[in-house]
Amino acid sequence: MYIKSQLIPWDIYDPEPENCSFVAYFGKVLQTVDQALPNQGLTFYVTMVDIKELPSYGDNVFVLILGDEFYRIPEYINQVGGVFKCYGTHQIREQINLYRPLLRLSYFKFLVLGQSVKNMGYRLIKKIKHRLRKLRFLLIGKAHIAPIYDIPPGYFNSRNLPVKPIQNRTCDIFFDGSIVQHIYPVWSLRYWSKTPKAYSREQMVSSLKQFKANHPQFQVDLAVSVGYVGSNHAAHSTYSDDMMNAKICLAPRGTTLETYRLLEAMRYGCVTIVESLPDRWFYNGAPIIQIGSWQNLEPVLTRLLNDPELLQTLHQQTLDWWETKCSEKAVGRYITEQINALRLRV
């Protein structure tokens, strides 16, 4: 692991090293790669946001970037064999949704636009360099440009539990998490302007409370924690057990449209509801309900909870999708296939 410019040796068969629980998922991913490509002399660096440098370079070096939510292109893209990146390098889906329909303006769209411009500022120079390198490669064929592959963000606060049949789950709707990333003082501009995450989640909580008031026959498990740190360091067993006992899990956006909670819910076979999802190979066609706005939540919940057969179908489809597209073994196989394809191309 290469974290904050420090190289940390990591035994991937101990997937939860001290103070690095976020790589539990990727430990199992790399176990699959290791077993499929034994004794190949490959070097893998796992990092959160280090995009400027690595301890070593070469065609046998591959990088997993897990936490860059600014969609940036790493500066060492022409010095490694390949990059596997959570959150990708573009935010096309958000931009498309922002302007569709163009004239239906809202404060939320204004917030997303502001965040998009901020992200563009972070990655603009690197994007230009990347385009120039590609152009140079096309013209003279000397500039090596490593491909960047999308991979899912995995899970964070998730125990390995036996899957509970959906008909035996007593909680109908579940959300346990934070509303805001950081707590700002009331005099701060950030307190009043909000972020897309805070605005979206406040809307989700409001809609869920309204549903609960209108439909007291359904069991709603809503727990709001203080800040991201509070939500992700909640009791490990309680969070996992509560989610496994839920039929439907709400997975609102974080800083980006993708969250750990989405993958955690899929892993447990919850019927999962989100606002929207980016265009990624592991999401396209997935049995995840995208509602566009949390204001549309009540009719969707009503239909689902009044149709046990539909819930059961989506539950099984979600487990199947997890197993074939998003599980540790599935992503490990995907990484292996891309590396083999690259070597064949060479």
Side-chain angles (χ1 to χ4, degrees):
M1 293 181 287
Y2 192 61
I3 309 296
K4 295 181 179 179
S5 299
Q6 294 185 354
L7 189 61
I8 307 169
W10 173 30
D11 177 5
I12 60 171
Y13 290 93
D14 176 18
E16 296 192 46
E18 186 177 358
N19 299 323
C20 290
S21 59
F22 62 85
V23 295
Y25 174 84
F26 289 99
K28 296 177 181 177
V29 167
L30 289 175
Q31 288 176 32
T32 300
V33 178
D34 182 51
Q35 292 160 13
L37 299 172
N39 305 316
Q40 299 294 308
L42 304 180
T43 297
F44 284 84
Y45 291 114
V46 178
T47 183
M48 288 298 288
V49 294
D50 288 274
I51 63 169
K52 292 185 177 180
E53 62 177 11
L54 293 172
S56 66
Y57 305 98
D59 291 342
N60 67 328
V61 172
F62 295 89
V63 191
L64 275 67
I65 303 176
L66 310 186
D68 176 44
E69 296 180 329
F70 295 116
Y71 312 95
R72 293 174 293 184
I73 296 172
E75 293 185 10
Y76 43 74
I77 193 67
N78 61 330
Q79 298 174 277
V80 297
V83 174
F84 297 89
K85 192 172 187 294
C86 301
Y87 309 110
T89 58
H90 57 80
Q91 51 191 140
I92 298 299
R93 181 62 62 89
E94 284 191 347
Q95 293 166 350
I96 290 175
N97 290 342
L98 183 66
Y99 298 108
R100 187 201 299 149
L102 183 62
L103 297 180
R104 188 177 298 170
L105 303 178
S106 69
Y107 183 64
F108 178 67
K109 289 184 178 181
F110 170 76
L111 293 176
V112 174
L113 176 62
Q115 188 179 73
S116 299
V117 171
K118 177 183 176 182
N119 290 343
M120 187 180 298
Y122 274 110
R123 69 179 192 274
L124 181 60
I125 299 300
K126 294 178 178 60
K127 197 81 171 180
I128 293 173
K129 286 183 179 179
H130 185 60
R131 297 292 185 187
L132 290 175
R133 284 169 180 160
K134 281 192 170 183
L135 180 61
R136 183 183 176 190
F137 177 75
L138 289 174
L139 292 176
I140 63 177
K142 291 184 178 180
H144 167 73
I145 304 295
I148 301 177
Y149 303 99
D150 294 335
I151 53 174
Y155 49 72
F156 184 93
N157 193 4
S158 179
R159 290 168 56 215
N160 188 21
L161 299 174
V163 175
K164 190 174 185 179
I166 197 166
Q167 64 269 21
N168 295 342
R169 304 185 184 194
T170 58
C171 172
D172 293 303
I173 311 157
F174 172 79
F175 175 78
D176 183 348
S178 64
I179 301 298
V180 295
Q181 184 86 1
H182 305 286
I183 306 299
Y184 296 100
V186 69
W187 57 83
S188 169
L189 178 62
R190 287 287 188 92
Y191 177 89
W192 296 101
S193 64
K194 302 188 184 303
T195 62
K197 170 184 174 178
Y199 189 92
S200 171
R201 294 192 177 197
E202 285 179 355
Q203 189 180 71
M204 181 208 69
V205 169
S206 176
S207 296
L208 185 56
K209 287 181 177 179
Q210 185 63 48
F211 175 86
K212 185 176 180 179
N214 294 341
H215 304 274
Q217 71 273 27
F218 296 120
Q219 177 63 40
V220 177
D221 188 352
L222 172 63
V224 177
S225 56
V226 179
Y228 172 82
V229 174
S231 65
N232 281 286
H233 289 83
H236 192 55
S237 60
T238 301
Y239 176 85
S240 296
D241 290 338
D242 289 346
M243 181 177 284
M244 183 59 81
N245 191 45
K247 298 174 182 175
I248 298 172
C249 178
L250 306 185
R253 65 173 296 138
T255 304
T256 74
L257 292 172
E258 299 177 78
T259 64
Y260 294 128
R261 181 178 288 104
L262 170 60
L263 276 293
E264 290 161 358
M266 292 180 68
R267 184 189 189 199
Y268 286 176
C270 300
V271 175
T272 310
I273 301 178
V274 302
E275 298 158 72
S276 182
L277 287 174
D279 182 13
R280 308 268 191 258
W281 64 267
F282 44 86
Y283 294 141
N284 294 340
I288 300 170
I289 299 173
Q290 302 182 54
I291 61 174
S293 168
W294 291 110
Q295 294 176 337
N296 302 324
L297 181 61
E298 183 168 358
V300 174
L301 289 176
T302 302
R303 182 192 172 197
L304 288 170
L305 292 171
N306 286 312
D307 192 340
E309 290 185 4
L310 178 58
L311 278 177
Q312 175 61 42
T313 298
L314 289 172
H315 163 70
Q316 189 57 55
Q317 288 177 348
T318 300
L319 289 174
D320 293 342
W321 192 270
W322 165 262
E323 189 61 34
T324 58
K325 297 288 187 178
C326 297
S327 69
E328 303 94 326
K329 288 184 178 180
V331 176
R333 288 193 296 267
Y334 171 78
I335 291 175
T336 300
E337 290 168 1
Q338 303 314 314
I339 292 175
N340 281 333
L342 279 173
R343 299 167 88 182
L344 286 173
R345 192 183 311 165
V346 172

